[in-house]
Amino acid sequence: MGVIRRAGMFVLQVNPILCDGFGHCAELAPELVHLDEWGYPIIASDPVPMADVGSYQSARYAERGCPRQALHVAKVATPVPITNVDVRPPTTVSRGRRPL
Amino acid sequence: MIEAHTLPRLFAGATDRPLSLAHHEEVFQPDGDVANVLEELNASGLIGRGGAGFPTSRKVELLRNQRGHKYVVVNGMEGEPAAHKDFRLLSTNPHLVLDGAEMLASMIGASRIAVCVARDNPTVVHHVEQAIHERARRNLRGPGIDLHTPPWRFVAGEESALVHWLDDNESLPQYRPGRPHILRIGRGPVLVDNAETCANVGLIGRYGAQWFRSLGTDDHPGSVVVSVTGAVQRPSVLEVNLGTPLRAILASAGADTSPQAVLLGGYGGAWLRGDQIDTPYSNDALAAHNLSVGAGIIAVLPRQACGVAEAHRVVRWMAHESARQCGPCAFGLPALAEDLFAVLRGGRDGVVAIARLQERCGVIEGRGACRHPDGVVRFVRSSIDAFAADIDDHLRGAPCAGAQSKQRFLSVPTLEHEEDLIWE
Ligand code: SF4
Ligand code: SF4
């Protein structure tokens, strides 16, 4: 899969013209995609942080597994640094002095 | 020379016949103090008259920074069945539109102009053909002008569908994930502008921005051509000053001035309640009601009409007009039409249907390649709001008299193959 860059955000986009509602994406990336009553994917349009490696990997799987090649993982440039995402559990921080 | 503050502007000198080139140049004489059309266009604050409401100067700026063999496309397709303004403009003074297109072409450095008119209207096609011919005879310098006549469909007038037609002979919208997105014919970037926008550019190029801004409001300057249909003696096309109260527009069109509701912005638009028709007709005032001028359509619904039945007819037709490329649009819109039909019949099915309708609107919105389904969702939501009392009556099984009568007011083309609604 190559190097995963953990900065920035991504969105999974579907080209609705190409998509024929096979529904593979919902199986490959269940955390990002669910299907509507006609079997077409509904994908949240909010960007997901790259640091969420599980989601990113599923998005890549879905992109590759889509029989119509209708999916695309788009990187979103984030002007502000992401502060509210725990990239790694802060195990080392607890040893230092912490403000009360 | 036309006077500075009076309407008509775009229809100046209009007769039953289209103006000839010589006559056109006589009516619209440049007053000579426009040095740079581009600057004037930037200063004019012209907003595109095609429906999307995008500032024309921004589009031009975008295209100026592109390289390659550029095109200007004049959109005279008039997708909306309730509108007649582009046809009217092109059959009264096609040269004004072509002038504007030539100015746009020289601003962005385009080498070809494509004028698109639906082939279903042979008179207009003929007028435009004549006008292009006349210009060629006079040997006006500048880009070559071609006429293209795609078949008429609702979505064929969508800009990406139009460019797709010119590029590939398919009137289908294209997927454009990132906006603003530059449409291309082959590899050449394309500037698509509505016929009325081009005509306005033609005026700005002659008389300048200050003159242009003398009508309309600060945020939405100029005049606009509106098509008034529905409860009117005769569907009419008028040019009005932006910011005129809607009531005055209805009165001068000979329409019902105490309507139940008024549909603005076409069949992808929304309703304004009858008691709000003193609102000025311009984007900044209408924004308070979540409305916009759009392509200048005003459809008047009289008090005796059944709003639910009309909404169902429109949605059914819009579902039929989907290009059926995208699942949510191809399946979702017929589902909305079915739900509205269930509401129309009332009873227990109707109660279920109205809840499902709201939910389906949320599911469909924003999931097509073009804005067609979003427009329908907007229309459905606004109909649920505007006709809430009627819907309650239908659900209780006691619809008003208007529902039983066969009289309908909005102009919806008859569906040729009703079974087409069932897809595959
Ligand atoms: S896998 Fe591809 S074709 Fe199938 S539903 Fe998902 S996006 Fe559409
Ligand atoms: S959203 Fe509907 S009309 Fe637009 S391209 Fe898709 S199927 Fe066609």
Side-chain angles (χ1 to χ4, degrees), chain A residues 13-20 34 36-38 40-43 70 72, chain B residues 173-175 177 325-328 331-332 335 360 363-364 367-369 423:
Chain A
Q13 291 175 332
V14 61
N15 177 341
I17 295 178
L18 286 180
C19 169
D20 265 349
H34 64 277
D36 65 12
E37 59 187 297
W38 307 283
Y40 290 86
I42 302 175
I43 305 173
H72 173 61
Chain B
Q174 304 170 28
Y175 174 55
Q325 299 193 90
C326 318
F331 293 102
R360 279 177 170 167
V363 166
I364 292 167
R367 287 179 57 226
W423 192 56

Side-chain angles (χ1 to χ4, degrees), chain B residues 114-413:
Chain B
V115 183
C116 300
V117 183
R119 67 175 65 153
D120 307 55
N121 206 325
T123 346
V124 182
V125 171
H126 176 73
H127 290 331
V128 176
E129 226 164 29
Q130 285 284 317
I132 293 174
H133 229 76
E134 234 176 332
R135 289 182 161 239
R137 276 215 303 274
R138 296 274 301 257
N139 198 13
L140 289 173
R141 275 174 294 131
I145 305 177
D146 313 306
L147 176 65
H148 294 267
T149 54
W152 183 85
R153 297 260 338 232
F154 189 88
V155 294
E158 205 263 342
E159 55 178 6
S160 67
L162 199 57
V163 173
H164 201 176
W165 167 268
L166 296 172
D167 191 26
D168 214 12
N169 282 319
E170 276 191 301
S171 270
L172 297 171
Q174 304 170 28
Y175 174 55
R176 298 183 283 167
R179 283 169 202 245
H181 182 270
I182 293 173
L183 294 162
R184 284 168 198 279
I185 297 178
R187 291 172 64 196
V190 184
L191 176 72
V192 188
D193 266 312
N194 180 263
E196 191 189 340
T197 315
C198 290
N200 275 308
V201 173
L203 289 179
I204 292 167
R206 280 196 169 75
Y207 306 117
Q210 210 184 355
W211 171 85
F212 180 75
R213 295 189 71 93
S214 65
L215 286 185
T217 63
D218 280 350
D219 290 341
H220 200 186
S223 62
V224 68
V225 183
V226 295
S227 320
V228 188
T229 58
V232 281
Q233 279 115 24
R234 224 158 55 91
S236 47
V237 177
L238 322 166
E239 187 181 0
V240 298
N241 186 352
L242 278 164
T244 314
L246 199 50
R247 186 186 294 281
I249 299 176
L250 295 185
S252 54
D256 189 350
T257 46
S258 66
Q260 179 178 175
V262 178
L263 179 61
L264 299 181
Y267 293 165
W271 296 96
L272 186 72
R273 281 203 323 271
D275 52 3
Q276 297 166 337
I277 63 167
D278 287 310
T279 317
Y281 189 67
S282 70
N283 275 355
D284 34 339
L286 289 172
H289 302 285
N290 262 333
L291 286 162
S292 69
V293 167
I297 292 157
I298 300 179
V300 188
L301 198 68
R303 298 222 172 261
Q304 71 268 29
C306 172
V308 190
E310 299 282 355
H312 166 242
R313 275 172 76 229
V314 168
V315 172
R316 196 175 60 146
W317 183 77
M318 289 289 271
H320 181 260
E321 279 299 307
S322 153
R324 291 166 208 192
Q325 299 193 90
C326 318
C329 178
F331 293 102
L333 301 191
L336 293 184
E338 272 167 32
D339 284 347
L340 272 172
F341 187 60
V343 173
L344 188 62
R345 274 186 315 189
R348 213 184 313 149
D349 287 354
V351 179
V352 179
I354 192 84
R356 201 170 48 204
L357 194 59
Q358 311 256 23
E359 191 194 309
R360 279 177 170 167
C361 278
V363 166
I364 292 167
E365 193 177 22
R367 287 179 57 226
C370 73
R371 297 260 182 261
H372 184 65
D374 301 359
V376 178
V377 164
R378 198 163 115 92
F379 176 80
V380 169
R381 283 194 176 137
S382 143
S383 304
I384 294 175
D385 263 6
F387 307 122
D390 289 344
I391 288 178
D392 278 349
D393 289 346
H394 277 266
L395 295 185
R396 276 190 294 108
C400 60
Q404 264 104 38
S405 87
K406 285 278 174 283
Q407 203 187 2
R408 296 288 178 259
F409 294 89
L410 298 185
S411 75
V412 173

